[in-house]
């Protein structure tokens, strides 16, 4: 399973964001296989961040809870917002169509 989170943080709240980031950095459970973070400016919304989180097969429920917990410190920052999506790799996506790669 793969989770993609998208967050927005106002430009004037980057110091608070960095403090929260340091609080959770590296506190991933072993079933999170890989976590990549990217960021870009997003006009008037501030900094837009993306996290691509690769989860061990069969651990999606546990990961959804843990990922939510890891983002809790950021919710204290005024203007912070985020969304989380579960996505599939192409190999799994074509299975939905009854096909295989």
């Amino acid at each position: 399973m793969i989770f993609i989170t998208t967050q927005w943080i106002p430009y004037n709240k980057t110091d608070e964001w960095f403090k929260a980031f340091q609080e959770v950095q590296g506190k991933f459970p072993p079933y999170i296989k890989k976590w990549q973070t990217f960021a870009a400016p997003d006009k008037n919304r501030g900094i837009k961040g993306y996290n691509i989180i690769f989860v061990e097969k069969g651990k999606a429920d546990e990961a959804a809870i843990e990922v939510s917990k890891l983002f809790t410190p950021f919710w204290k920052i005024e203007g912070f917002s985020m969304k989380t999506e579960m996505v599939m790799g192409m190999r799994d996506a074509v299975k939905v169509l009854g096909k295989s790669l």
Side-chain angles (χ1 to χ4, degrees):
M1 180 60 62
I2 303 166
F3 292 93
I4 297 179
T5 67
T6 308
Q7 306 81 227
W8 291 268
I9 186 77
Y11 291 115
N12 65 340
K13 300 292 183 171
T14 55
D15 288 340
E16 290 177 54
W17 173 88
F18 188 68
K19 184 178 177 182
F21 180 76
Q22 288 179 308
E23 189 177 319
V24 299
Q25 179 63 20
K27 295 185 176 179
F28 312 134
Y31 49 81
I32 292 181
K33 300 188 306 187
K34 186 175 184 180
W35 187 312
Q36 293 181 287
T37 303
F38 304 91
D42 190 21
K43 289 190 176 185
N44 298 329
R45 290 193 74 182
I47 304 293
K48 185 177 187 178
Y50 300 96
N51 290 278
I52 303 173
I53 306 158
F54 296 86
V55 177
E56 185 179 302
K57 190 175 183 100
K59 295 291 187 177
D61 290 344
E62 294 93 331
I65 293 167
E66 193 61 31
V67 167
S68 296
K69 284 179 172 179
L70 289 167
F71 278 102
T72 300
F74 297 95
W75 286 106
K76 298 173 189 169
I77 302 169
E78 184 179 344
F80 175 83
S81 63
M82 71 175 277
K83 69 176 182 174
T84 302
E85 301 172 85
M86 291 190 309
V87 298
M88 294 179 261
M90 281 307 296
R91 189 172 310 281
D92 289 333
V94 296
K95 288 178 185 176
V96 174
L97 303 173
K99 311 251 184 239
S100 65
L101 292 176

